[in-house]
Amino acid sequence: MTDIEERSRSGLSADELRRSIIDHLRYSIGRPAAALTPEHFYRATALAVRDRMQDNQAATAQTALDLGRKVTCYLSAEFLMGPQLGSNLLNLGIEEAARAALDEIGVGFDEVLACEEEPGLGNGGLGRLAACYLDSLATLECPTIGFGIRYEFGIFDQEIHDGWQVEKTDNWLVNGNPWEIPKPDVNYLVKWGGYVEHYADDSGRGRVRWHPARVIKGVDYDTPIQGYGVNTCNVLTLWSARAVESFALDAFNTGDYYRAVEDEVTSETVTKVLYPNDEPDVGKRLRLLQQYFFVSCSLQHVLHIMDDLADASVRDLPNRFALQLNDTHPSIGVAELMRLLVDERQLDWDEAWGITVATFGYTNHTLLPEALETWPLAMFGESLPRHLEIIYEINRRFLDEVRAKFGDDDDRLRRMSLIGEDDGKSVRMAHLATVGSHAINGVAALHSDLLKKSVLKDFYELWPERFSNKTNGVTPRRFLALANPGLRQLLDDTIGDGWLSHLDRLRGLEKFADDAAFGDKWRAVKRANKARLADYVSSTAGVHLDPDWLFDIQVKRIHEYKRQHLNVLHIVTLYHRIKQNPDIDISPRAFIFGGKAAPGYFLAKRIIKLINAVGETVNNDPDVNRLLKVAFVPNFNVQNAHLIYPAADLSEQISTAGKEASGTGNMKFMLNGALTIGTLDGANVEMREEAGAENFFLFGLTVDEVERVKREGYRPADYVSGNAELATTLDLIAGGRFSRGDSEVFRPLVDNLRHDDPFLVLADYASYIECQEQVSAAWRDVSSWTRMSILNTARSGKFSSDRSIAEYCDDIWNVLPVTVKV
Ligand SMILES: *Cc1c(COP(=O)(O)O)cnc(C)c1O
């Protein structure tokens, strides 16, 4: 027998890579040489690179098991990974080898890279955070499993037709996915619906049997997650739903062939599509099923690994696994782990509860009351009857604990209950996650503070020691090295390449902030990035931008709280000033937007239309288009984010104070040398502290001021009557100036601002316009702007996801790095 340990696919030289790619072209892609397309070369290269991670991955898992080290599990309904090839080449240290190999083969490296269809398995910030955290966990040598859902269709592709968003299904799997390895033999059954039977076993112990209405199979698909400059290679396990064959067979035997096929159809819909967030109510039950499905598979998988350990029992779970809940989407895991331990493993309730709380941690991502997940009680009980019983029992014991500490304070008990009583009973998932976790954290200092004062106040009073802050971060490998190769080279030449894994070292740039020669190089890099983006905008949006203008960029999901419409009010204000006075002296600006709106979010979709309508008018008016241009980049995603963040002069972070939990886009801009115009919201507060107030454009109400204005009764009309320029701006939009005289299309938006304005756009208008004038003045002083830009990058080290993950490791998971030898 041949040696199964022999390795023929792990060589990292250009020549070994070249042979491997050719090998895959012949045996995995299987096309005659004459029929090969760049996509085939991409897939063969991806397979060759995947091979190079396999030994690392096997060694990482084995080392953690052998040494009895704790494994972190990051449970997230979304992972917005972005393209994988560039990132894996960088982390393996084989970019140059791959370039040389493809050169030798005679195909362009960049052309091959561009063929990758990105897996859009997330909506925005939350999913991208999970992806950055996987990169940092591997780089920090922490053995980790990411657990999520293998959606067949990810977030929709956005097209713009006549200024409106049109959604197209995201067919990311059409050409297959070379990064994943399906493991059909690693599968678990997930029950759903039906009823619960209580009975006593032979020893008289109370037992429970769950008779489900349906059973669905979850199949494991593994994607390797390579750390940068280390051997550690973790795994992202995504679950895909299948029909259970035996069920289908039963039906077949009774002659009901079509029922069997139908079951397959409905089972597989469980992981069919990612739901856009902000969707009111549609498909709620399927969403709960998606969440339960992936969490149940993940927990069964973890317990299965525990069962195979010679040196541990299920009671050691908290010493061997840390389970982190990325928002409440996986929080049903608290009840599921209790069910697995109590019903299926016969542990006592108290012991099972101790294990559960010691194992889970919960990260909260929002204070918006409408975004806190709850499930209608009746629907929940029909879907997960046993879990509802378990939640009642958790709640009974929990409320006893509250009573023991605070007495019979009925109001407090009602507020804290896992069951909500307002407008119909519901299960409160944030409360379940909080009660079931030993550690609860917010995602920026301000957000963690507000959590303790608002939505989780009562819980903080009960368990102050469980609360902490973990400010978000982003991976500098993707969002600097890959996205901005020009800046990467300049940094390497100036301060060495240590910053890639020790982002604090960017501080070494501070001493070049006033160096004129360095400033010239800095500006040359930025200008090249702007030219690169201008090409992209020209080909995708048909708008021609001058790279010498100020690039003012707002890219993120479209949402009222993020206030893209405030940005538009500024553009319309400038438009009107220019029309009034064509000789006005304004520094030329390109306003660039991007972002998707949830398909059912009426106002957000109208904001997209407004941006495009204002753009069409501005871009085609010769008085105006010599000073202003407006472009909406369609289909904002990770791939085009690589082009966008590095090209910004000005980053728009203008949410209503208290509404953005952290933001991570703000950090990506800062890392790439953009200055920020922003409110004191989310991580902006900490960014300003790091950069220095003199290097940040601050405007708007603070959280306290927002609260006071709301308390005293906010009247947007007062701001309109007190500011003629604002009144005119709104009149221009409402009157149809940007819609060929149509005074209906933007009426809902303008009415909303004039009469309701829940996010205080009009209250911040004057302050924003004034601050934008400071921006324009600062832009005119080239060397001063350059200095501020350099200092923003130099002081962005805190916002590496490596720093965030190191804090999670120390304070929440209690894990240490594990050096992997291959
Ligand atoms: C970083 C990122 C986000 C989050 O942006 P915010 O400005 O923090 O809302 C959303 N989508 C993509 C593609 C991103 O890369």
Side-chain angles (χ1 to χ4, degrees):
M1 193 179 147
T2 52
D3 179 6
I4 200 163
E5 293 294 322
E6 188 181 81
R7 293 173 188 172
S8 64
R9 295 184 171 188
S10 53
L12 298 179
S13 71
D15 198 48
E16 286 162 308
L17 267 175
R18 182 185 56 79
R19 278 186 287 154
S20 191
I21 293 168
I22 289 172
D23 197 62
H24 277 297
L25 281 170
R26 188 187 300 272
Y27 298 109
S28 308
I29 308 297
R31 298 300 155 85
L36 290 173
T37 66
E39 198 279 327
H40 295 136
F41 284 100
Y42 156 71
R43 237 183 309 146
T45 307
L47 290 169
V49 171
R50 190 186 74 182
D51 290 341
R52 269 114 195 112
M53 299 190 283
Q54 288 305 313
D55 292 330
N56 289 353
Q57 193 188 300
T60 302
Q62 197 57 48
T63 307
L65 290 178
D66 289 350
L67 300 179
R69 302 297 289 274
K70 200 195 268 193
V71 174
T72 300
C73 298
Y74 200 79
L75 282 85
S76 180
E78 303 186 6
F79 286 91
L80 190 55
M81 299 297 287
Q84 294 297 287
L85 179 53
S87 162
N88 286 329
L89 293 175
L90 169 67
N91 286 8
L92 284 166
I94 56 171
E95 293 162 289
E96 287 320 310
R99 193 182 284 276
L102 290 170
D103 254 13
E104 184 74 21
I105 293 170
V107 48
F109 181 75
D110 293 324
E111 192 186 3
V112 167
L113 243 68
C115 289
E116 181 162 0
E117 182 87 37
E118 81 171 75
L121 308 188
N123 272 285
L126 174 142
R128 185 53 236 176
L129 182 78
C132 282
Y133 280 2
L134 291 185
D135 185 72
S136 285
L137 278 155
T139 299
L140 294 187
E141 304 181 286
C142 298
T144 300
I145 309 174
F147 282 117
I149 301 173
R150 184 178 178 274
Y151 301 104
E152 198 175 324
F153 300 102
I155 188 69
F156 62 87
D157 286 332
Q158 179 194 56
E159 292 180 5
I160 302 297
H161 294 181
D162 187 30
W164 295 97
Q165 167 175 298
V166 173
E167 300 92 15
K168 298 279 154 135
T169 47
D170 157 53
N171 234 331
W172 73 287
L173 287 170
V174 274
N175 294 324
N177 172 10
W179 301 106
E180 68 187 8
I181 299 191
K183 304 202 168 151
D185 54 317
V186 180
N187 64 76
Y188 300 94
L189 298 182
V190 176
K191 302 178 200 170
W192 185 249
Y195 66 96
V196 175
E197 179 195 359
H198 290 263
Y199 66 100
D201 67 13
D202 295 342
S203 63
R205 187 182 190 274
R207 298 282 297 274
V208 178
R209 215 177 271 128
W210 176 10
H211 299 272
R214 290 179 59 191
V215 178
I216 300 149
K217 187 162 84 173
V219 175
D220 174 317
Y221 283 73
D222 278 353
T223 299
I225 307 290
Q226 175 66 47
Y228 170 76
V230 294
N231 289 328
T232 302
C233 182
N234 288 322
V235 60
L236 171 60
T237 292
L238 300 180
W239 301 103
S240 182
R242 295 282 182 280
V244 177
E245 302 85 348
S246 60
F247 268 48
L249 204 63
D250 286 349
F252 189 59
N253 288 340
T254 58
D256 190 358
Y257 175 75
Y258 287 100
R259 198 194 68 81
V261 177
E262 222 165 69
D263 182 56
E264 190 152 317
V265 170
T266 49
S267 291
E268 293 183 355
T269 56
V270 174
T271 51
K272 187 64 79 181
V273 63
L274 165 72
Y275 284 101
N277 52 15
D278 319 310
E279 278 295 334
D281 276 296
V282 277
K284 274 222 146 185
R285 192 188 294 266
L286 184 55
R287 238 179 125 119
L288 177 60
L289 175 51
Q290 283 188 337
Q291 295 181 356
Y292 177 60
F293 167 79
F294 101 86
V295 168
S296 179
C297 289
S298 307
L299 294 183
Q300 291 186 63
H301 188 56
V302 164
L303 292 189
H304 180 77
I305 298 172
M306 287 297 296
D307 288 340
D308 283 349
L309 296 179
D311 59 337
S313 81
V314 72
R315 294 182 166 79
D316 300 308
L317 184 67
N319 303 322
R320 304 301 289 266
F321 285 94
L323 304 176
Q324 191 66 24
L325 303 170
N326 193 27
D327 212 335
T328 54
H329 315 143
S331 60
I332 188 62
V334 171
E336 173 68 353
L337 184 56
M338 285 300 287
R339 187 187 71 79
L340 291 169
L341 295 178
V342 174
D343 293 1
E344 301 205 347
R345 312 260 169 156
Q346 284 94 52
L347 263 63
D348 288 345
W349 182 278
D350 287 324
E351 190 174 25
W353 185 244
I355 292 169
T356 298
V357 173
T359 308
F360 279 110
Y362 161 48
T363 303
N364 173 284
H365 284 272
T366 183
L367 301 166
L368 298 180
E370 68 272 22
L372 288 172
E373 272 192 310
T374 60
W375 299 109
L377 196 81
M379 187 206 87
F380 190 97
E382 287 161 24
S383 308
L384 296 169
R386 178 55 183 152
H387 295 78
L388 185 58
E389 292 182 347
I390 289 171
I391 287 171
Y392 278 138
E393 182 60 14
I394 294 172
N395 199 34
R396 189 183 66 75
R397 290 163 180 251
F398 164 63
L399 292 178
D400 280 348
E401 191 177 339
V402 176
R403 243 179 245 108
K405 176 143 181 181
F406 297 102
D408 275 328
D409 179 345
D410 280 346
D411 249 2
R412 181 183 296 268
L413 292 166
R414 197 170 311 119
R415 289 196 307 268
M416 297 183 79
S417 175
L418 304 192
I419 307 298
E421 309 273 344
D422 346 306
D423 40 66
K425 284 196 175 188
S426 62
V427 183
R428 294 163 158 168
M429 301 312 273
H431 292 202
L432 178 63
T434 303
V435 171
S437 299
H438 67 284
I440 299 122
N441 73 283
V443 290
L446 175 70
H447 168 241
S448 297
D449 215 52
L450 292 173
L451 261 188
K452 296 193 242 172
K453 291 180 181 158
S454 62
V455 288
L456 297 182
K457 177 171 190 284
D458 295 308
F459 296 88
Y460 176 65
E461 284 169 12
L462 180 63
W463 299 310
E465 71 287 353
R466 292 194 189 181
F467 285 75
S468 74
N469 172 246
K470 299 287 169 281
T471 299
N472 284 168
V474 299
T475 170
R477 271 77 65 186
R478 181 178 292 276
F479 288 107
L480 209 169
L482 281 182
N484 198 343
L487 185 55
R488 175 190 186 183
Q489 189 64 54
L490 180 58
L491 293 176
D492 288 355
D493 294 346
T494 310
I495 57 172
D497 65 2
W499 58 271
L500 269 156
S501 41
H502 299 91
L503 200 62
D504 288 334
R505 296 196 188 157
L506 290 177
R507 286 268 173 187
L509 286 175
E510 283 191 10
K511 62 173 176 289
F512 298 93
D514 292 307
D515 178 326
F518 183 77
D520 289 344
K521 291 185 199 161
W522 188 265
R523 278 194 303 279
V525 167
K526 181 64 83 179
R527 185 160 192 307
N529 292 337
K530 290 164 72 174
R532 183 178 71 155
L533 178 62
D535 282 346
Y536 183 77
V537 169
S538 154
S539 67
T540 56
V543 179
H544 306 287
L545 305 178
D546 181 339
D548 288 322
W549 290 19
L550 191 165
F551 275 23
D552 175 332
I553 308 188
Q554 186 171 21
V555 285
K556 49 182 74 244
R557 286 300 286 246
I558 311 293
H559 203 293
E560 287 164 277
Y561 87 79
K562 293 177 181 277
R563 301 201 295 191
Q564 281 90 357
H565 42 353
L566 177 57
N567 190 339
V568 176
L569 294 185
H570 174 231
I571 302 171
V572 174
T573 301
L574 294 180
Y575 165 86
H576 184 243
R577 285 182 187 174
I578 295 167
K579 292 308 274 183
Q580 292 299 104
N581 174 13
D583 300 324
I584 193 169
D585 187 20
I586 285 181
S587 8
R589 271 205 214 203
F591 295 88
I592 299 162
F593 293 84
K596 295 173 185 178
Y601 189 168
F602 176 84
L603 284 178
K605 292 182 106 170
R606 219 144 273 234
I607 290 172
I608 293 177
K609 173 66 178 171
L610 176 63
I611 293 165
N612 284 305
V614 170
E616 192 176 306
T617 307
V618 163
N619 299 342
N620 292 303
D621 184 331
D623 291 342
V624 184
N625 66 15
R626 54 185 194 87
L627 296 172
L628 309 180
K629 283 280 182 79
V630 181
F632 189 94
V633 182
N635 203 39
F636 178 51
N637 61 12
V638 179
Q639 196 148 22
N640 57 43
H642 287 201
L643 305 176
I644 294 170
Y645 291 114
D649 297 303
L650 187 68
S651 156
E652 297 272 351
Q653 306 300 333
I654 61 180
S655 52
T656 316
K659 299 297 180 191
E660 187 76 86
S662 164
T664 49
N666 46 3
M667 301 167 183
K668 300 171 201 164
F669 279 114
M670 181 185 188
L671 189 59
N672 285 284
L675 306 199
T676 302
I677 181 164
T679 49
L680 283 179
D681 199 18
N684 294 354
V685 177
E686 293 155 80
M687 285 168 42
R688 180 168 171 267
E689 265 166 33
E690 294 292 306
E694 69 284 9
N695 300 309
F696 187 104
F697 296 102
L698 179 69
F699 77 98
L701 300 176
T702 62
V703 171
D704 289 343
E705 289 163 351
V706 166
E707 276 172 11
R708 200 193 58 226
V709 168
K710 290 230 162 188
R711 203 169 45 241
E712 293 173 356
Y714 173 52
R715 285 186 308 275
D718 292 355
Y719 292 87
V720 181
S721 55
N723 186 329
E725 203 167 34
L726 172 57
T728 309
T729 296
L730 292 174
D731 286 344
L732 282 176
I733 296 169
R737 173 68 68 96
F738 306 104
S739 41
R740 302 189 181 101
D742 179 347
S743 55
E744 287 305 312
V745 58
F746 299 126
R747 189 201 298 279
L749 261 176
V750 176
D751 280 354
N752 177 279
L753 289 180
R754 282 177 172 150
H755 305 300
D756 186 14
D757 192 15
F759 298 102
L760 278 67
V761 173
L762 303 194
D764 274 345
Y765 169 83
S767 168
Y768 181 58
I769 298 294
E770 204 268 324
C771 191
Q772 288 284 18
E773 281 161 16
Q774 291 172 33
V775 170
S776 292
W779 175 251
R780 284 163 191 256
D781 185 340
V782 173
S783 59
S784 156
W785 186 281
T786 305
R787 178 190 149 78
M788 291 194 284
S789 168
I790 294 168
L791 288 177
N792 265 271
T793 299
R795 298 172 179 175
S796 65
K798 173 175 177 183
F799 305 104
S800 168
S801 45
D802 297 346
R803 187 270 315 147
S804 312
I805 285 300
E807 291 179 10
Y808 278 94
C809 288
D810 288 349
D811 304 341
I812 296 182
W813 303 327
N814 190 24
V815 296
L816 291 168
V818 178
T819 308
V820 175
K821 294 198 191 67
V822 179

